[in-house]
Structures are given as C-alpha cells and as structure tokens.
Amino acid sequence: PRPPQEVSKTVTSRLNDPAVSGVVSTGKSAVTAATPVAEKLAAFLTTSSPVVLAEVGAATVAAYYLAGPLFGLFVGALRGYAGEVSAAQAGSVGYTGEVSTAQIRGVGRGGEEGSMVLSESLVWSVG
C-alpha cells in the first residue's frame, strides 16, 4: 500500500485537472441549487398530516401511470394522422391508375420532362 501522504498528493493533483475541476464546480452548483428544494420537501413531509401525504402519494402514483400514455398521445399528435390505409393498400391503389402521386425531390436526382423546378434544390413532378 502507498503511504497516505502520497495518496493525498495524487488526489490533490487530480482535483487540479481542468476537466475534474469543471465537474466539481458543476456538482457544487447543483448541490447549491437543490438544497432549498430538499429542505422544503423535508419540511413538507415532516409537518403534513397523514391524509395529505396519502393524497400526494396517490397523485404521484397516478401521474406515474398516466405519464406514459399521455406522452404517447402527445407524440402521436405531433407525428400527425397516420391514416386508415396500410402501406401495402396504398401501394396497390397507386398501381391501378386511380390516383395521382406527387414527388418532391432534389434537382440532382433528375428533373424529368413534366417536372417543375421549385427552387435550386427541389423538383415537383406529378404523375
């Protein structure tokens, strides 16, 4: 084993490393910011009645179980309407000639006859 003085010097030299000192200072600021919140939480838990604590606990559990489905609905709404037709059904309808498709692609991918150049990077073709 190494003597304690050598270990102390090694730890001190590592703490003076810029990367480590950045982590240490960030950790200190995180603790400083979290301390008032933790103190308020501890005061709430020690001074509240059992009924209030049970209500808060039930609300926390409900929020935990509802967060996933609600987040899924929110993300689904952001993604947009998926439609009632599967990809295979949409493809088969396209082969019958009953629908027109619109393609927007880069000019470098080919601007064929009947295409309209929308900008330097986009081509609009209807077929």
Side-chain angles (χ1 to χ4, degrees), residues 13-14 20 23-24 31-32 34 38 41 45 61 64 68 70 73 78 89 96 99 102 109 115 117 125:
S13 68
R14 297 288 167 109
V20 174
V23 171
V24 169
V31 168
T32 303
L41 179 63
L45 292 174
V61 169
Y64 174 77
L70 290 176
L73 287 173
L78 287 178
Q89 291 170 329
T96 64
V99 296
R109 302 197 64 167
S115 298
V117 177
S125 64

Side-chain angles (χ1 to χ4, degrees), residues 42-88:
F44 173 76
L45 292 174
T46 56
T47 59
S48 296
S49 69
V51 173
V52 171
L53 292 176
E55 289 172 350
V56 169
T60 303
V61 169
Y64 174 77
Y65 283 120
L66 292 174
L70 290 176
F71 184 70
L73 287 173
F74 178 70
V75 170
L78 287 178
R79 192 175 353 167
Y81 179 65
E84 298 175 358
V85 179
S86 70

Side-chain angles (χ1 to χ4, degrees), residues 6-29:
E6 186 178 329
V7 172
S8 176
K9 287 179 185 176
T10 303
V11 170
T12 303
S13 68
R14 297 288 167 109
L15 287 176
N16 292 332
D17 183 15
V20 174
S21 64
V23 171
V24 169
S25 66
T26 302
K28 286 180 183 178
S29 63

